């Protein structure tokens, strides 16, 4: 998908969405279809795992398409393979197996919680000697200096966990992964038939840790800089008119950060949310023009926006915990995600296909109206 597609964000689909493959789960008669937009966030992606687990458990929901960035991209491809192999239950099993592998691989990592953090129940790594050392070094040396061979254990893990032939064959669900072009600064969205191990690693390539990923002669960094996650593909290539954003990075965080790490954390949150906020503003703009009759609703689509998040519980976790892949922590995040999805289904399922449950205008007016925060 070209960058110019962003400029046609209100246009309806130009082709019939791909038909559901025979391997996909059969749709119940009264189901509602949605598009899922999955944010990145390192180990916090286990929250999204919990959300997906609960949604795949509910036969009323059909997931028409998924867009993802970084950890969201990994959740997306693992879910797509699971759907291909065994429908919704296959997706749930594949996601659990993937996150177990992530945890097992992290056992050998030099970055571990300190004894004090373990004693006090602190999930962060801010007192971890290994984390502090690598954090300081990354501020003065690049991956080209520290990792000239570009060794990336996560690449090996994803490559061993995901059969990309099956991902590309999962035609029952649209799939879109975002990466940032290093040279142009534009977002690149890879569609299902283009997705490989390289595209997933490009979507998750943090430039302070890894060299840029080269694809077709272009260099890519983490998609979070320009699309976390991208929403515009849904306007053109999905029949579903509801977008459910799985929010990991807090939009609002009270108070002024004072420690250097807290300042950097907040800068990263603002940066990785900026593209999403721009797209939400564009969606609201199109909706206003449709409401006023200034746009023809046969030419432009009205999309309903929803969010699944746990603001209070996720906001309590600092940036360093995004590198904590201990199994108890991943399960903790998983349970938070399941709770958030369950609360959202209870409160918002009836609104699917009818209206948004996020008031974008109030968001930009500084009033939070994001519903059903389970705390």
């Amino acid at each position: 998908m070209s960058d110019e597609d962003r400029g046609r964000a209100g246009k309806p689909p130009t082709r019939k969405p791909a038909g559901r493959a025979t391997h996909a789960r059969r749709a119940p008669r009264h189901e509602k279809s949605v598009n899922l937009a999955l944010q990145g966030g390192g180990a916090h992606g286990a929250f999204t795992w919990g959300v997906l687990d609960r949604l795949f458990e509910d036969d009323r929901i059909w997931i028409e398409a998924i867009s993802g960035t970084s950890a969201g991209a990994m959740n997306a491809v693992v879910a797509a393979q699971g759907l291909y192999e065994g429908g919704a239950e296959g997706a749930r099993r594949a996601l659990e197996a993937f996150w177990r592998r992530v945890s097992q691989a992290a056992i050998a990592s030099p970055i571990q919680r300190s004894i004090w953090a373990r004693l006090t129940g602190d999930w962060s790594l801010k007192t971890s000697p290994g984390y502090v050392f690598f954090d300081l070094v990354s501020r003065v040396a690049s991956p080209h200096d520290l990792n000239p061979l570009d060794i990336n254990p996560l690449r090996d893990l994803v490559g061993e966990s995901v059969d990309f032939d099956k991902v590309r064959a999962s035609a029952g669900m649209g799939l879109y992964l975002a990466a940032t072009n290093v040279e142009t600064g534009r977002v690149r969205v890879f569609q299902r038939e283009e997705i490989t191990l390289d595209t997933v690693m490009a979507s998750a390539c943090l430039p302070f840790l890894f060299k840029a990923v080269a694809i077709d002669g272009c260099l890519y960094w983490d998609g979070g800089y320009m699309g976390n996650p991208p929403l515009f593909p849904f306007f053109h290539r999905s029949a579903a008119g509801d977008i459910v954003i799985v929010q990991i990075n807090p939009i609002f965080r009270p108070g002024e950060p004072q420690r250097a790490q807290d300042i950097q954390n907040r800068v990263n949150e603002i940066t990785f949310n900026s593209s999403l906020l721009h797209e939400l503003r564009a969606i609201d703009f199109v909706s206003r023009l449709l409401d006023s009759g200034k746009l023809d609703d046969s030419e432009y689509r009205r999309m309903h926006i929803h969010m699944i998040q746990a603001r209070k519980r996720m906001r309590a976790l600092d940036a360093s915990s995004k590198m904590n892949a201990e199994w108890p922590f991943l399960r903790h995040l998983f349970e938070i995600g399941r709770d958030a999805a369950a609360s959202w289904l209870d409160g918002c399922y009836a609104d699917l296909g009818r209206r948004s449950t996020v008031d974008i205008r109030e968001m930009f007016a500084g009033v939070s109206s994001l519903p059903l925060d389970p705390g």
Side-chain angles (χ1 to χ4, degrees):
M1 181 174 294
S2 67
D3 301 314
E4 287 73 21
D5 281 343
R6 185 185 293 276
R8 300 192 297 273
K11 293 288 187 179
T14 56
R15 66 174 178 82
K16 184 179 179 180
R20 297 183 176 97
T22 56
H23 55 263
R25 65 185 175 90
R26 193 171 186 85
R29 184 177 178 182
H30 299 296
E31 74 174 11
K32 296 185 179 183
S33 61
V34 299
N35 305 297
L36 294 183
L38 312 181
Q39 280 199 326
H44 290 189
F47 168 84
T48 302
W49 162 35
V51 171
L52 291 174
D53 188 79
R54 182 62 184 86
L55 294 182
F56 281 126
E57 190 178 66
D58 194 321
D59 282 336
R60 299 174 301 168
I61 297 290
W62 180 272
I63 299 173
E64 190 75 32
I66 297 180
S67 74
T69 297
S70 196
M74 295 179 193
N75 276 318
V77 296
V78 171
Q81 175 179 322
L83 283 169
Y84 180 92
E85 294 174 332
E89 286 303 314
R92 296 177 68 197
R93 290 193 298 269
L95 285 163
E96 179 173 7
F98 173 75
W99 284 100
R100 280 190 180 276
R101 292 190 190 102
V102 170
S103 176
Q104 290 164 1
I107 292 174
S109 170
I111 300 178
Q112 302 287 342
R113 279 194 300 162
S114 66
I115 295 176
W116 176 251
R118 294 175 187 273
L119 290 174
T120 58
D122 183 0
W123 293 115
S124 81
L125 298 171
K126 61 189 177 185
T127 59
S128 162
Y131 176 81
V132 173
F133 172 77
F134 281 108
D135 182 56
L136 291 174
V137 170
S138 69
R139 298 175 189 273
V140 296
S142 82
H144 294 266
D145 303 317
L146 300 174
N147 189 11
L149 298 179
D150 204 23
I151 297 171
N152 186 348
L154 184 59
R155 180 186 180 89
D156 297 335
L157 188 151
V158 174
E160 293 168 0
S161 302
V162 180
D163 184 334
F164 285 93
D165 288 334
K166 292 180 179 179
V167 172
R168 290 186 293 271
S170 59
M173 182 177 70
L175 200 58
Y176 309 98
L177 307 186
T180 301
N181 187 303
V182 176
E183 296 172 304
T184 67
R186 296 178 180 176
V187 67
R188 167 74 187 274
V189 175
F190 296 93
Q191 301 176 47
R192 178 174 44 78
E193 58 271 18
E194 301 174 300
I195 292 173
T196 65
L197 177 58
D198 280 340
T199 58
V200 175
M201 300 318 298
S203 182
C205 180
L206 289 171
F208 300 106
L209 298 178
F210 305 110
K211 295 180 182 179
V213 177
I215 301 174
D216 298 330
C218 296
L219 298 171
Y220 294 98
W221 281 340
D222 194 293
Y225 294 109
M226 293 303 295
N228 192 27
L231 307 183
F232 64 91
F234 300 136
F235 283 86
H236 313 288
R237 300 181 179 275
S238 174
D242 290 86
I243 299 174
V244 181
I245 300 165
V246 181
Q247 181 81 23
I248 290 179
N249 301 295
I251 293 176
F252 175 76
R253 187 178 289 276
E256 178 189 4
Q258 297 184 2
R259 297 190 313 134
Q261 285 184 336
D262 294 335
I263 293 171
Q264 186 63 46
N265 178 32
R266 187 56 185 151
V267 168
N268 287 336
E269 288 175 346
I270 293 170
T271 300
F272 284 129
N273 278 323
S274 62
S275 60
L276 174 63
L277 293 175
H278 284 305
E279 288 203 80
L280 289 174
R281 189 184 289 273
I283 290 171
D284 180 58
F285 180 65
V286 170
S287 296
R288 290 184 188 217
L289 293 179
L290 287 169
D291 290 341
S292 65
K294 293 179 180 178
L295 287 181
D296 185 348
D297 59 9
S298 67
E299 292 292 328
Y300 290 83
R301 294 186 75 185
R302 184 188 303 276
M303 302 297 284
H304 302 125
I305 305 299
H306 315 272
M307 274 190 187
I308 298 178
Q309 62 176 340
R311 284 174 288 165
K312 294 179 182 178
R313 299 173 75 179
M314 296 299 289
R315 205 159 52 208
L317 303 172
D318 73 3
S320 69
S321 65
K322 292 181 179 181
M323 297 186 69
N324 181 358
E326 296 174 51
W327 183 243
F329 181 52
L330 298 182
R331 286 293 305 185
H332 173 66
L333 292 167
F334 168 82
E335 295 298 340
I336 295 175
R338 275 192 59 91
D339 290 346
S343 294
W344 178 80
L345 284 167
D346 288 343
C348 301
Y349 177 81
D351 293 310
L352 291 175
R354 297 176 53 246
R355 68 180 188 92
S356 295
T357 54
V358 172
D359 191 327
I360 300 174
R361 299 175 200 182
E362 288 193 5
M363 284 177 63
F364 284 99
V367 179
S368 176
S369 62
L370 308 182
L372 299 171
D373 180 0

